[in-house]
Structure formats: C-alpha cells, structure tokens
Amino acid sequence: MTLIILLLAFGIWAKAQKNEGEVTFKRTTSWTKMNDQMTFLSKQQKEKNAYMFGNIDMSTQTYTLFFSPKGSKYEEKEENTNGYSWRKEQFVIYRDFENEIFTDVIDFVGKTYVVEDSLERPQWKILNDIKEVAGHICMKAQIKDPIKNQVIVAWFAQDIKAKAGPERLWGLPGLILELDINDGACVIAASKIEFKKLTTELDLPKKLKGSKINEAKYQQMIEKHVKDKFKEEVNPFWSIRY
C-alpha cells in the first residue's frame, strides 16, 4: 500500500515538473522573404535586394522562455548570433497567468516602453496538422495580425500543459514550441527544453525603465508606423520588430 502511494505521489510530482522549466529558442529572420512581402517593391527591386543580401540573408538570435502554470518570461540570451547582428534591443515579455495581466519591456523606434495591461487570449484557430518539434509531437494553430499583415502559425505540445509561448504569443492548450511568421520570413523554434523547478526567474525587476503605456496605445503606434513607412515605400520592419 505504501509503495502504491509513493508511486502515485511520484507520478503527480513528475507531471507537475513537466509543466515548468526553461526553453531555448532560435529566432531566424530571412530578410529576402521579408522584402518579398513588401507590395510596393517591383520584381526587379526584390531580385536586387536578394542579390545584395547574399550570405547575410539570415539573422539568428537566441532567446529563453521560462514557463510555469503561474506565468512566463521571454528574453534574449546574452550569447548571439549567426549572420548579421543588430544592436541588442529591449524585448522582455512577462505573463502573469494567475492574475491575468502582462508586463512587456519593448524598444520601439529608439525608445523603450513598458506595456502593461490585462491579458486577452489570442483568437487561435486550431488545425489538424501535427509535426515533431524538439522531441515533442505538436499540433498546428494559426492566427493573423491585421496591423502587421502577418499570418502566424504556431506548433504547440499538448503534453506540456502550459499556456506560454515565445514572443508575445500564448493561450494554446499546450506550450508553443515553434512560430512561423509569414511562411518562413521569421521562424522561432525551440532547440532545447529543460524541465525544472523555477525560483526567481519569473519575478519582475523592482524598477522597469521605460514609458508606461497600455496595449491599445502600443498597437496604435505600430499601426501608424507601418502605414507611414508603406506610404514612404520603406520596409517598416527595418526599424521595428517583425
């Protein structure tokens, strides 16, 4: 009887452990594919840009996602990069699932903002496709960002019962292990998963530097920037996050 109780307790503990830990993500951007989606560019201009990018077409950064049932934090690792390296930007994404709020520290056109607001679950469409990512069988889901005109495909692992995900995305019935933005223009994929008990990884710093705004204001800023740059026939994502 004692052995059965111990085995059940171990099973519960092991299951809980699998819902908490750290994921390493590789974020790879293809500048050629991104430029292909700029409708104001002619075919000749796109071909010229592809030739100019040459061997530096791909840019890669490494990010860490800490996740638990309580919340998550996503931030860039100190180590970087393969391909062309930009200045390291402020992009730290906090999710508090217990209190249904978020705090994001984001650089936008040379200024740092602290975006704080209530969590609203993204309106995902879950599809029937499956594939393996980082050793886990994942299901496919899709959503569209109407402001950036991006179709985003997510692959989530149902065996990891966490709402978290990379970038600013979350809210699926399993941990998001891969995002594909606009058919490969930007791919954020898990390369390593470590299940472990977190301690202070999800804590907010005592002081956050940046101008405080809400989500509506942040989206208004993005929308204006994208529209202005398209009018100028300039890729808006040279100066903001894709």
Side-chain angles (χ1 to χ4, degrees):
M1 185 68 178
T2 303
L3 178 60
I4 293 172
I5 293 172
L6 286 172
L7 288 172
L8 286 171
F10 178 79
I12 294 169
W13 175 85
K15 186 177 180 181
Q17 287 292 100
K18 199 172 181 181
N19 297 329
E20 186 171 4
E22 175 183 349
V23 186
T24 300
F25 284 93
K26 297 292 184 181
R27 186 183 200 272
T28 303
T29 304
S30 168
W31 306 113
T32 299
K33 287 184 178 181
M34 184 192 296
N35 266 320
D36 283 346
Q37 292 151 10
M38 299 298 116
T39 55
F40 53 80
L41 291 175
S42 68
K43 182 180 178 182
Q44 290 77 14
Q45 286 175 310
K46 291 177 181 178
E47 290 174 350
K48 181 181 177 182
N49 286 338
Y51 176 78
M52 289 173 63
F53 282 124
N55 294 329
I56 59 169
D57 175 55
M58 295 290 187
S59 172
T60 302
Q61 294 84 36
T62 304
Y63 285 79
T64 299
L65 174 70
F66 297 101
F67 69 94
S68 81
K70 295 181 179 180
S72 65
K73 181 176 76 171
Y74 180 76
E75 63 182 347
E76 187 173 359
K77 276 194 170 184
E78 290 300 321
E79 61 186 66
N80 236 352
T81 61
N82 296 321
Y84 194 86
S85 179
W86 296 99
R87 175 185 70 84
K88 184 177 178 179
E89 63 178 347
Q90 287 290 316
F91 191 77
V92 187
I93 307 302
Y94 295 91
R95 296 285 176 268
D96 182 342
F97 301 131
E98 287 190 320
N99 297 302
E100 298 186 343
I101 56 176
F102 71 86
T103 303
D104 296 344
V105 183
I106 302 173
D107 277 356
F108 180 85
V109 195
K111 188 174 180 180
T112 302
Y113 293 90
V114 179
V115 187
E116 296 179 310
D117 217 324
S118 301
L119 275 174
E120 291 189 16
R121 190 182 296 271
Q123 298 300 305
W124 293 102
K125 180 181 180 181
I126 297 178
L127 306 170
N128 293 324
D129 308 60
I130 61 170
K131 76 169 185 176
E132 183 179 323
V133 181
H136 293 261
I137 299 300
C138 294
M139 286 192 67
K140 184 179 182 180
Q142 187 171 298
I143 197 169
K144 184 170 183 179
D145 183 332
I147 293 176
K148 291 183 176 179
N149 193 31
Q150 295 174 341
V151 175
I152 303 169
V153 170
W155 296 91
F156 64 97
Q158 288 185 295
D159 64 318
I160 308 176
K161 300 298 182 183
K163 301 177 184 177
E167 301 295 304
R168 304 186 78 218
L169 291 166
W170 67 285
L172 283 164
L175 185 64
I176 299 172
L177 295 183
E178 183 175 312
L179 293 174
D180 185 329
I181 304 174
N182 278 346
D183 196 23
C186 183
V187 176
I188 304 100
S191 59
K192 179 183 176 183
I193 305 172
E194 181 182 359
F195 297 106
K196 63 180 182 180
K197 183 71 176 175
L198 302 182
T199 54
T200 61
E201 290 89 347
L202 301 179
D203 293 349
L204 277 170
K206 292 181 179 179
K207 290 185 179 180
L208 292 171
K209 294 182 179 180
S211 300
K212 290 188 177 182
I213 58 174
N214 61 21
E215 179 68 6
K217 176 64 176 176
Y218 179 61
Q219 293 299 330
Q220 287 168 9
M221 290 164 51
I222 292 176
E223 185 172 21
K224 183 178 185 305
H225 177 83
V226 171
K227 285 182 177 178
D228 288 348
K229 291 302 177 184
F230 262 81
K231 285 180 182 178
E232 298 168 14
E233 297 191 350
V234 174
N235 185 337
F237 303 108
W238 293 132
S239 47
I240 67 169
R241 192 176 189 84
Y242 188 66

